[in-house]
């Protein structure tokens, strides 16, 4: 969370990130596998939270800041699988 | 003389209503020549703004919004839409003032009771109600009302109304991950004593990582909307173009439509326009689906 905030607010650095459809649902499945392995040896089954899911996504390389604005270039207004975790409150135009 | 005037007026009104109904059927028939959506989702935004705009007391906007919801539902099912999903209450909405939250919950209990008592829309279109979300967050009376509504419509099988209550996409995803992991751990525990007893430590760890791999299909199976086709159109009223943590997982190839009208102002024309837009977009979206 702090790492994401600092990369968002650091005005001296611009980040260009390329995403593909595999960063969406498949990225979530990778994060789920990460959680499954991480807590395998724990005796009491843990209860996952949105925070733990966010950490798992970052651990597998599918974390990142939530865009404020998603510009869709094409004939249809559709997000085409943009990572769900990163567009909860994103304005889609 | 007066009674004659009244009966002729009601006769004219009846005639007019029949004509409007006939015209609506003609429009629906023409629209049905093109591809029709199977599933439409709605974010019913703008009830509070409507109440402020019309100087109504707090909460009245939701009551008018409920009428708009009923008529939209009726038009949708008349058009042959099989699944309708509505975002009735988000997990985030629990952060609103306690009085407003309680008002919405009481209104929901009241309207569910009304829907079940009248049975007009539900039975005539064969609608089964399902509640989607983290229902354990609801108070006792609302939970009982939802169970009653689901049980009361369980035998209907022509169309489905999915009401998202105490719902958010992120909560749904976490729930699916939790269920998938629990499933894996239970399977591994079963295998543990029989198959892993004599393995070397390295072989055990390798096998464990492989067995802990959760596939996309495992998550899909545990989503709240598992078994329901993804929505073809998502309509958010009041001109907002965010999804606000609603159906983020299910809307990969969904046409997003944001009419400016506040939810209580939503009309048949909004729905027709959304479907026309969908018909123009459908070929492109089908092509995208095949390429994935």
């Amino acid at each position: 969370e702090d790492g994401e905030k600092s990369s968002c607010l650091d005005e001296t650095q611009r980040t260009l990130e390329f995403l593909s459809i595999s960063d969406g649902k498949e990225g979530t499945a990778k994060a789920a596998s990460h959680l499954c392995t991480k807590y395998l040896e724990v005796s009491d089954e843990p209860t996952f939270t949105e925070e733990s899911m966010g950490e798992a996504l970052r651990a597998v390389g599918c974390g990142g800041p939530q865009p404020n604005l998603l510009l869709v270039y094409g004939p249809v207004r559709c997000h085409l699988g943009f990572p769900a975790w990163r567009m909860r409150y994103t304005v889609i135009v | 003389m007066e009674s004659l005037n009244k009966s002729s007026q009601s006769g004219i009104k009846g005639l007019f209503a029949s004509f409007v109904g006939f015209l609506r059927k003609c429009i629906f028939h023409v629209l049905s020549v093109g591809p029709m959506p199977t599933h439409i989702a709605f974010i019913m935004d703008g009830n509070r703004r409507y109440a402020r705009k019309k100087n109504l007391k707090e909460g009245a906007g939701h009551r008018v919004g409920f009428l708009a919801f009923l008529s939209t539902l009726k038009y949708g099912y008349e058009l042959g839409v099989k699944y309708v999903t509505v975002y009735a209450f988000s997990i985030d909405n629990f952060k609103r003032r306690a009085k407003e939250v309680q008002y919405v919950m009481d209104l929901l209990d009241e309207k569910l009771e009304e829907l079940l008592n009248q049975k007009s829309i539900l039975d005539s279109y064969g609608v089964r109600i399902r509640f989607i979300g983290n229902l354990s967050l609801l108070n006792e009376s609302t939970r009982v009302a939802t169970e009653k509504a689901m049980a009361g419509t369980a035998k209907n099988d022509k169309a489905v109304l999915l009401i998202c209550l105490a719902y958010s996409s992120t909560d749904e995803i976490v729930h699916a991950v939790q269920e998938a992991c629990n499933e894996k751990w239970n399977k591994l525990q079963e295998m543990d004593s029989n198959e892993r007893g004599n393995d070397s430590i390295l072989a055990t760890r390798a096998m464990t990582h492989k067995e802990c791999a959760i596939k996309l299909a495992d998550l899909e199976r545990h989503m709240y909307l598992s078994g329901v086709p993804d929505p073809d159109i998502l309509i958010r009223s009041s001109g907002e173009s965010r999804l606000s943590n609603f159906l983020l997982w299910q809307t990969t190839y969904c046409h997003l439509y944001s009419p400016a009208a506040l939810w209580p102002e939503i009309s048949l024309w909004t729905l027709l326009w959304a479907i026309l837009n969908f018909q123009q977009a459908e070929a492109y979206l089908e092509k995208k689906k095949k390429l994935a």
Side-chain angles (χ1 to χ4, degrees):
Chain A
E1 189 73 29
D2 287 343
E4 280 178 35
K5 277 184 188 167
S6 66
S7 68
C8 279
L9 300 173
D10 184 353
E11 289 175 359
T12 61
Q13 191 180 27
R14 298 231 169 133
T15 308
L16 183 61
E17 191 182 356
F18 289 89
L19 297 176
S20 74
I21 192 141
S22 60
D23 292 296
K25 290 183 178 181
E26 285 172 32
T28 308
K30 272 191 226 164
S33 298
H34 171 84
L35 284 170
C36 190
T37 312
K38 186 178 172 186
Y39 292 100
L40 178 67
E41 301 299 332
V42 170
S43 53
D44 298 321
E45 282 179 0
T47 303
F48 297 139
T49 61
E50 293 191 14
E51 286 70 34
S52 49
M53 190 66 206
E55 279 167 20
L57 283 163
R58 278 192 293 278
V60 301
C62 292
Q66 290 188 55
N68 301 108
L69 181 61
L70 180 66
L71 296 174
V72 179
Y73 289 90
V76 181
R77 189 162 156 259
C78 174
H79 65 72
L80 297 175
F82 192 88
W85 211 260
R86 296 173 67 176
M87 63 159 178
R88 286 166 261 179
Y89 303 104
T90 303
V91 173
I92 304 170
V93 173
Chain B
M1 191 68 172
E2 220 176 272
S3 60
L4 200 65
N5 277 340
K6 275 185 186 167
S7 65
S8 66
Q9 272 177 14
S10 64
I12 290 168
K13 276 183 189 168
L15 206 63
F16 183 70
S18 298
F19 174 71
V20 167
F22 171 73
L23 198 63
R24 193 169 70 235
K25 279 186 184 153
C26 288
I27 293 172
F28 287 2
H29 192 69
V30 168
L31 201 65
S32 303
V33 169
M36 291 298 285
T38 305
H39 182 176
I40 303 181
F42 294 92
I43 300 179
M44 302 180 291
D45 196 9
N47 293 306
R48 291 187 296 175
R49 267 171 281 175
Y50 179 85
R52 283 197 294 271
K53 183 176 162 183
K54 299 286 181 185
N55 292 321
L56 303 172
K57 62 178 184 181
E58 194 182 345
H62 289 93
R63 289 192 177 273
V64 184
F66 181 73
L67 296 174
F69 159 70
L70 283 180
S71 52
T72 306
L73 205 62
K74 180 169 162 257
Y75 297 141
Y77 292 133
E78 273 182 25
L79 278 162
V81 175
K82 186 163 178 187
Y83 297 89
V84 171
T85 302
V86 293
Y87 201 10
F89 199 83
S90 158
I91 289 179
D92 288 342
N93 290 154
F94 281 112
K95 294 176 196 161
R96 290 185 180 175
R97 287 181 300 135
K99 195 176 159 192
E100 187 186 340
V101 172
Q102 192 54 49
Y103 182 86
V104 173
M105 290 294 146
D106 291 342
L107 182 66
L108 187 73
D109 292 352
E110 182 192 317
K111 294 306 173 189
L112 278 175
E113 194 70 42
E114 246 179 67
L115 257 181
L116 287 177
N117 287 341
Q118 285 175 17
K119 286 202 156 215
S120 47
I121 286 181
L122 301 179
D123 282 349
S124 55
Y125 297 107
V127 181
R128 183 163 59 99
I129 297 180
R130 273 181 61 188
F131 285 91
I132 305 291
N134 194 342
L135 304 182
S136 63
L137 297 176
L138 299 172
N139 62 34
E140 178 72 21
S141 68
T142 308
R143 223 177 15 256
V144 164
T146 60
E147 282 160 12
K148 197 174 163 190
M150 286 195 279
T153 57
K155 288 181 183 163
N156 293 343
D157 60 1
K158 292 202 173 54
V160 184
L161 170 60
L162 298 130
I163 302 177
C164 292
L165 209 51
Y167 172 90
S168 72
S169 271
T170 43
D171 181 76
E172 182 182 18
I173 290 169
V174 170
H175 168 263
V177 169
Q178 182 79 62
E179 293 295 306
C181 287
N182 288 349
E183 200 177 56
K184 284 282 173 186
W185 291 327
N186 290 337
K187 266 190 195 156
L188 285 171
Q189 269 177 1
E190 276 171 31
M191 286 164 55
D192 198 31
S193 55
N194 295 331
E195 293 184 21
R196 294 210 259 149
N198 296 324
D199 287 338
S200 69
I201 292 171
L202 283 175
T204 306
R205 280 196 188 142
M207 198 163 71
T208 303
H209 275 272
K210 193 179 161 192
E211 283 157 354
C212 275
I214 292 191
K215 295 182 194 131
L216 193 51
D218 297 325
L219 292 182
E220 295 276 14
R221 206 170 52 250
H222 292 293
M223 287 286 166
Y224 291 142
L225 272 91
S226 170
V228 175
D230 288 344
D232 300 296
I233 311 174
L234 191 153
I235 300 174
R236 179 171 186 161
S237 55
S238 79
E240 291 283 344
S241 35
R242 286 182 289 247
L243 292 178
S244 294
N245 218 340
F246 180 58
L247 302 185
L248 303 175
W249 186 269
Q250 292 85 357
T251 48
T252 302
Y253 301 106
C254 176
H255 173 55
L256 308 174
Y257 183 63
S258 302
L262 302 174
W263 179 255
E265 294 167 342
I266 281 292
S267 67
L268 170 62
W269 304 110
T270 315
L271 187 61
L272 293 178
W273 201 243
I275 293 174
L276 279 169
N277 272 270
F278 162 75
Q279 289 180 337
Q280 288 176 331
E282 196 260 352
Y284 173 84
L285 292 171
E286 283 302 309
K287 193 171 139 194
K288 284 288 179 188
K289 274 185 211 175
K290 282 173 187 156
L291 288 172

